[in-house]
Amino acid sequence: MSDSKTKKIKKIAVLTSGGDSPGMNCAIRAIVRNSLKNDIKIYGIKRGYSGLIENEILELNSSSVGNILQKGGTFLQSSRSAKFLEKKYRKEAVENLYARNIDALIVIGGDGSFNGALALKSEFDLPIIGIPGTIDNDILNTQYTIGFDTAVNTAISAVDKIRDTAHSFERNFLVEVMGRNSSAIAIKVGICTGAENILLPNEDLNLEKIANDIKRGIRRGKRSSIIIVAEGTTPGRSYEIAQKLEEGFELSSKVCVLGHIQRGGSPTASDRFIATKMGVEAVNSLVNEEYGKVTCWNQSKIEMRDIEECAQKADINLVTDKDLAELLSI
Ligand code: F6P
């Protein structure tokens, strides 16, 4: 390939990688349509980096992305590829692009996917653009990632329903939300549902405080409570917490693990809008020969940042927001 700094882009490929998120389809649609408008051929890679290694690449046209805007998931499908961590497979992957004269790649995904893109940039000088897509909203230097708003709204609507039965039966509930290392969903859902407590992934559990908070609520007439638990590295950990509250503090709780329901569903207006803007700007950036960037969303607009600054997790936290939740849950 010629020097990526001076190359005029004629063929772009796009893939979605890692945990899928609602709104990814909107970004793909915008990429396809804006590429075609710029007389650039556009290719979709199936199943993320796995499909790139296995040469599952198809040319897309305008109607390939018709009627997908409102659909959750990603029509290109996704994967977490262990093989792609090895350079020999990355070489195979990039050769599949060269074989079709594809000269740039757009990667929609989280920090792990950006690390893969960064490797392609540094090892093969491949022009790449990253688009932040994960329900976790935990990528450094962007205030927003595609799918977060939909996931939060899905979780809020579930917690509202749980509130109804919690109140009717005078019960405590532990509602577990997604977020392996990310607090973002837990905190936003906790604040928006008036949760009595929020347990973050990386903090030490203070069961005595949790129990005292609930008992204080009961003394002043509260008949039910909701605790939002971020799943952390052990999805389902709420069952163990419930057991400890029962054994140590005679507090019985019901558990509801929301799980992958948070990853699906039709994207909200915010996710559709931001994903569309990101998709358009990803192509514009390649047309303008500005490579190695990420379409960050800061101060309500796109800000192109170097991928090196974004290939990391950020726990956009939110300690102050957790304080806010506590302040209001007394
Ligand atoms: O994509 C992010 C995420 O949904 C996290 O919130 C969650 O911890 C993880 O992915 C679950 O991954 P998997 O779908 O591979 O179980």
Side-chain angles (χ1 to χ4, degrees):
M1 294 192 86
S2 63
D3 177 10
S4 72
K5 299 285 177 301
T6 58
K7 191 165 178 66
K8 195 102 200 131
I9 300 296
K10 295 201 183 71
K11 291 184 178 182
I12 297 174
V14 54
L15 61 79
T16 46
S17 163
D20 54 299
S21 65
M24 282 181 164
N25 281 329
C26 308
I28 300 167
R29 173 179 174 270
I31 289 165
V32 170
R33 300 250 163 110
N34 195 24
S35 297
L36 297 174
K37 188 165 174 290
N38 282 284
D39 290 322
I40 293 170
K41 285 194 180 222
I42 177 77
Y43 295 81
I45 298 162
K46 298 288 283 181
R47 302 190 305 108
Y49 290 122
S50 301
L52 184 54
I53 295 168
E54 281 153 38
N55 205 11
E56 294 176 52
I57 303 175
L58 57 143
E59 190 174 348
L60 301 174
N61 59 37
S62 194
S63 55
S64 321
V65 290
N67 201 24
I68 64 166
L69 189 73
Q70 74 281 18
K71 292 188 177 141
T74 155
F75 93 104
L76 288 177
Q77 302 182 281
S78 191
S79 65
R80 301 186 199 279
S81 171
K83 275 186 175 177
F84 203 72
L85 299 173
E86 293 179 51
K87 188 169 179 186
K88 67 172 178 176
Y89 290 112
R90 290 198 291 273
K91 187 161 181 291
E92 278 179 28
V94 98
E95 276 163 4
N96 289 332
L97 295 177
Y98 294 163
R100 287 179 171 78
N101 295 318
I102 292 172
D103 25 37
L105 176 66
I106 299 176
V107 172
I108 309 174
D111 63 300
S113 310
F114 286 179
N115 273 299
L118 195 49
L120 294 181
K121 175 183 177 246
S122 53
E123 291 165 3
F124 307 100
D125 199 21
L126 184 73
I128 51 113
I129 297 288
I131 295 185
T134 160
I135 63 164
D136 286 345
N137 203 15
D138 62 345
I139 296 180
L140 199 61
N141 286 315
T142 181
Q143 290 171 341
Y144 195 74
T145 63
I146 297 169
F148 177 64
D149 190 58
T150 308
V152 163
N153 276 292
T154 300
I156 287 173
S157 115
V159 176
D160 288 348
K161 292 182 175 96
I162 290 167
R163 268 270 182 222
D164 293 343
T165 177
H167 176 72
S168 304
F169 259 78
E170 304 191 347
R171 279 172 166 159
N172 302 313
F173 266 84
L174 301 178
V175 184
E176 190 170 300
V177 296
M178 273 191 160
R180 195 174 288 154
N181 295 301
S182 161
S183 315
I185 295 179
I187 289 186
K188 192 143 186 188
V189 170
I191 289 174
C192 295
T193 57
E196 277 64 26
N197 222 314
I198 305 173
L199 310 187
L200 301 183
N202 301 318
E203 68 182 355
D204 294 333
L205 276 184
N206 185 343
L207 289 172
E208 193 172 354
K209 179 178 180 308
I210 298 165
N212 285 340
D213 285 351
I214 296 173
K215 286 180 179 169
R216 197 177 53 243
I218 293 171
R219 279 198 299 278
R220 64 164 197 79
K222 263 194 186 179
R223 292 286 170 259
S224 65
S225 64
I226 302 272
I227 300 173
I228 302 293
V229 183
E231 64 180 4
T233 48
T234 325
R237 72 180 180 126
S238 299
Y239 290 101
E240 198 186 329
I241 297 173
Q243 197 182 347
K244 286 183 177 161
L245 285 173
E246 175 93 58
E247 287 168 3
F249 305 93
E250 294 178 341
L251 273 176
S252 81
S253 321
K254 291 280 177 185
V255 172
C256 181
V257 178
L258 298 184
H260 286 78
I261 191 173
Q262 295 156 98
R263 282 250 293 269
S266 182
T268 59
S270 291
D271 276 322
R272 295 180 195 202
F273 182 73
I274 295 173
T276 299
K277 299 268 265 188
M278 287 182 174
V280 167
E281 284 310 317
V283 174
N284 288 346
S285 187
L286 290 172
V287 169
N288 295 331
E289 297 173 35
E290 283 170 22
Y291 313 138
K293 304 280 181 190
V294 171
T295 58
C296 295
W297 183 257
N298 290 320
Q299 315 304 332
S300 297
K301 58 180 184 344
I302 302 280
E303 183 192 10
M304 301 304 291
R305 301 281 294 240
D306 290 341
I307 191 159
E308 289 79 358
E309 299 173 34
C310 303
Q312 274 181 63
K313 267 199 193 312
D315 205 4
I316 310 172
N317 174 339
L318 307 184
V319 173
T320 48
D321 283 347
K322 187 175 173 189
D323 291 348
L324 173 70
E326 278 183 15
L327 171 85
L328 299 174
S329 70
I330 307 286

